[in-house]
Amino acid sequence: MRTRPLPSGPRVPSGHPSRSVRPVLVYDGDCAFCTAALRFGERHVRPRCESEPWQSADLAALGITRERAEHEVLWVTPTGTVYGGAQAVAKALLSADGGWTVAGAVLTLPPCRWVAHLGYRLIAANRHRLPGGTAACAVTRPGDEPGDAAR
């Protein structure tokens, strides 16, 4: 993966020649844990995608909201389909070579999919407490005061 700037302006139609042919992995660039996980993926998993922190991405062009981007990692296909959380991770694994594709496929199947979703939510809610996490990693819910961590 490599980080690249996304075009600004209206969403590019899927058939348009300037439309990216690679999926985009949108992550929280302010979260040290998320960034470290992304860097690990770049070095070891090597998914075939672009990566972009949501803070600098053209979210409207990608067809996602800020609220969703703040909530979970997102995998946006070239046709505009959006997968979030554990399924975004599964898609990234599926795009890689070797045994990673098997791991990605397993994450898409029940009951592994359900367990992966619960695991992802648990990690996302506590990422500020994990190694490399900082207060900037805390996810807030609507109605939370700024700086309050998700519970």
Side-chain angles (χ1 to χ4, degrees), residues 25 45 47 73-75 83-96 99-109 112-113 116-117 120:
L25 184 71
V45 179
V73 66
L74 300 168
W75 179 269
Y83 298 90
Q87 289 309 294
V89 173
K91 292 293 183 181
L93 293 171
L94 283 166
S95 77
W100 296 110
T101 58
V102 174
V106 168
L107 289 178
T108 66
L109 302 172
C112 294
R113 179 183 180 134
H117 173 75
Y120 183 89

Side-chain angles (χ1 to χ4, degrees), residues 20 59 74 92 124 129:
S20 174
L59 300 178
L74 300 168
R129 294 183 179 107

